Amino acid sequence: MANAQTEAPDITVSSWVMVMVLGLVWGSSFLFVELAIEGITPFWLAATRILLASVVTTIVWQMRGGVLFKSAVPPPWALLTIVGALSTALPFMLLSWGQQYVTAGFAGVSMAAVALMVLPLAHFLIPGEQMSVRKTLGFVVGFAGVVVLIGPEALRASGIAGEIPGRLACLAAAACYAVSSVLMRRIPPIDGFGLSAVTLWIGAVVVTISALWKEGIPAWPVASIVVVIIVLGLVQTAMANMLRIVVVRTAGPTFMSLTNYMVPIWSVVLGVVFLGEPLEPTLFTAMVLIFVGVALSQWNALRQLFR
């Protein structure tokens, strides 16, 4: 994989903006999923949003010329298939199944663990992303902030049958996101829209087959649920997947993993604003810990940003 994109990450102002936008977009997805799941089964929700995102992304890609690879190296189809399955299909299904048995809080902590999983993987596989004491401490402090935000009770056993497999499913989903981010960085020069379209279609095929097998032919949802699914497909899936690929391919998977600390903050804030959920005083302590963790782990990038 000599021609793979393994140069040092390039973290710019745009990188920070995209990560913050992704935190908001993915943080708001909890609101939309909560609405959509009232009128459609979990696997079909995942399948329809990925299928819609696949179609939209493919149209945009074709309008931009439809070129996929930017070099003469042999197309790494096996690697693309693995990335497609690990970045959309498997984590969507694992989370859908796992959240039947675990609290939303535990699922949130699991997603925050992506950052900690990416750190050692990137250290060994991505040049320029080696672990250091400061960077590792930053990610640990940020993770502690997420635990404070969601509450330690999220880690306690609930006694529900199937809880242990459910927790393992959530952690496996986090591992899928971590591995796919690192592998994505190693794909040779490729068009971002094309990469997004290809990986989404791979995920769409896997999830659709699984939905047919697990849940059968779906009933057509009511109009309000259709609107929510369209928003999830266009914004939380199509646009977010494109931004994620751009960030991973330019700024690197370690920087991209910071999004997993921002998602819980936005999900809590939006819950307070739109769902009337109580504003817990721990939110502010958690935000301080998360921001300190981000500052420690990305100190060099922040110094370049404010020069």
Side-chain angles (χ1 to χ4, degrees):
M1 191 90 50
N3 294 316
Q5 182 172 326
T6 55
E7 65 270 13
D10 180 23
I11 301 173
T12 64
V13 175
S14 297
S15 305
W16 285 98
V17 171
M18 286 187 286
V19 160
M20 287 187 283
V21 169
L22 278 170
L24 173 58
V25 168
W26 281 335
S28 65
S29 66
F30 292 99
L31 290 171
F32 292 101
V33 169
E34 185 174 335
L35 294 172
I37 210 69
E38 295 178 1
I40 188 171
T41 53
F43 277 27
W44 275 115
L45 173 58
T48 51
R49 64 185 286 196
I50 297 177
L51 282 166
L52 177 58
S54 302
V55 171
V56 172
T57 306
T58 300
I59 291 173
V60 174
W61 172 39
Q62 293 301 314
M63 290 175 62
R64 290 168 51 89
V67 176
L68 185 58
F69 298 103
K70 297 180 178 180
S71 65
V73 299
W77 289 113
L79 181 57
L80 284 173
T81 301
I82 294 171
V83 169
L86 292 178
S87 62
T88 55
L90 289 177
F92 273 49
M93 291 188 293
L94 285 166
L95 283 171
S96 295
W97 184 84
Q99 285 188 261
Q100 298 176 95
Y101 307 104
V102 303
T103 63
F106 183 85
V109 172
S110 299
M111 292 304 99
V114 171
L116 298 178
M117 295 178 183
V118 164
L119 200 60
L121 289 172
H123 174 81
F124 292 106
L125 298 175
I126 306 295
E129 301 222 12
Q130 279 68 38
M131 295 171 63
S132 66
V133 174
R134 176 180 48 75
K135 184 182 290 187
T136 304
L137 178 62
F139 279 100
V140 171
V141 171
F143 183 78
V146 173
V147 174
V148 170
L149 175 67
I150 297 173
E153 62 275 5
L155 302 177
R156 295 175 188 151
S158 65
I160 298 174
E163 182 179 32
I164 293 178
R167 289 189 171 198
L168 291 175
C170 290
L171 291 172
C176 287
Y177 283 129
V179 174
S180 67
S181 292
V182 172
L183 292 179
M184 191 181 295
R185 178 74 174 167
R186 297 188 61 82
I187 296 173
I190 190 172
D191 180 79
F193 282 90
L195 177 58
S196 181
V198 169
T199 53
L200 281 170
W201 276 115
I202 292 168
V205 170
V206 174
V207 176
T208 301
I209 293 174
S210 301
L212 283 169
W213 172 68
K214 182 73 175 176
E215 299 171 349
I217 303 297
W220 186 259
V222 298
S224 60
I225 300 299
V226 172
V227 171
V228 174
I229 293 172
I230 290 174
V231 173
L232 280 168
L234 295 181
V235 180
Q236 275 76 18
T237 310
M239 186 192 82
N241 192 63
M242 185 63 240
L243 285 179
R244 174 178 180 251
I245 286 175
V246 171
V247 174
V248 169
R249 298 283 289 171
T250 56
T254 302
F255 182 79
M256 173 63 213
S257 66
L258 296 177
T259 305
N260 297 285
Y261 292 154
M262 300 178 188
V263 168
I265 292 178
W266 280 114
S267 64
V268 170
V269 170
L270 292 172
V272 170
V273 174
F274 293 104
L275 298 179
E277 296 177 349
L279 178 60
E280 300 291 343
T282 52
L283 172 62
F284 303 103
T285 303
M287 289 177 66
V288 170
L289 286 171
I290 290 171
F291 291 145
V292 168
V294 170
L296 285 171
S297 63
Q298 298 297 323
W299 180 250
N300 291 333
L302 285 169
R303 287 177 59 192
Q304 294 176 3
L305 188 64
F306 292 106
R307 276 180 179 176

